[in-house]
Amino acid sequence: MKHLFTVLACLLLATGTYAQKLTKTKHTMKLNAGIITNKLAASKTFYTEVLGFGVTFENEFYLLMHTPDKSTEISFLLPEHPSQQPLFQKPFQGQGMYLTIEVEDVDSLYATIKKKGIPVKIEIRNEPWGDRHFAIEDPNGVGIDIVHYQTPEK
């Protein structure tokens, strides 16, 4: 009987360890949004000068950029490039996509963007669900919602 409890304990421990590995594996994904566009230079200028992104990698047909804290990346790819498979050939048409960038001080970034003369598509505002945000648009027509999440006021 003692042997049976030892075997059961080992099985439970092994199962728990396996479950932990599965759980950890699920959470190791990293999203990198990509836009297929002819506007690589304009995208680079916009994301570096307006939002403070850095360049991670760049060549004649591909641009990989990172947020100022290097936690997230976005890429840009020339359409119809012979190095790419058909799935990654067609250019983005400028509709039906948005990005959300979460920031600590949305008011300061809003003021900076206004000073730079960047057109604001949605003026800064508080939403009933707790967001304080504003929106701009990148050279590709992608809406960018710049937000600070807050607890809704009651």
Side-chain angles (χ1 to χ4, degrees):
M1 190 69 148
K2 185 176 179 182
H3 179 68
L4 179 60
F5 285 120
T6 303
V7 169
L8 286 173
C10 287
L11 282 172
L12 286 173
L13 182 60
T15 304
T17 302
Y18 180 71
Q20 284 177 337
K21 284 182 182 177
L22 281 177
T23 303
K24 286 181 184 176
T25 301
K26 278 200 260 183
H27 298 289
T28 59
M29 288 186 186
K30 181 179 174 185
L31 177 64
N32 167 349
I35 300 169
I36 301 171
T37 179
N38 281 311
K39 299 176 181 176
L40 265 60
S43 297
K44 180 180 179 181
T45 299
F46 177 85
Y47 282 87
T48 56
E49 293 181 8
V50 175
L51 297 172
F53 281 40
V55 175
T56 304
F57 176 81
E58 178 179 20
N59 65 22
E60 66 278 357
F61 66 91
Y62 180 77
L63 172 64
L64 178 62
M65 304 189 76
H66 58 264
T67 53
D69 67 357
K70 299 183 180 181
S71 66
T72 309
E73 293 175 315
I74 186 167
S75 60
F76 302 90
L77 176 67
L78 281 178
E80 308 299 331
H81 197 272
S83 69
Q84 300 302 307
Q85 296 296 314
L87 179 63
F88 303 111
Q89 295 266 337
K90 295 179 184 172
F92 175 66
Q93 299 299 312
Q95 293 181 321
M97 179 180 177
Y98 69 93
L99 301 172
T100 300
I101 299 175
E102 185 178 350
V103 298
E104 285 296 315
D105 188 352
V106 70
D107 292 284
S108 175
L109 186 53
Y110 176 77
T112 299
I113 285 175
K114 291 289 273 189
K115 280 182 197 169
K116 291 180 179 183
I118 305 302
V120 174
K121 299 295 185 176
I122 299 173
E123 293 295 326
I124 197 158
R125 58 200 251 173
N126 293 322
E127 299 292 358
W129 52 86
D131 295 358
R132 179 160 177 77
H133 70 118
F134 68 97
I136 58 178
E137 188 175 63
D138 87 351
N140 305 292
V142 175
I144 301 175
D145 189 26
I146 301 174
V147 63
H148 175 75
Y149 297 115
Q150 305 176 124
T151 306
E153 295 180 18
K154 296 185 181 197

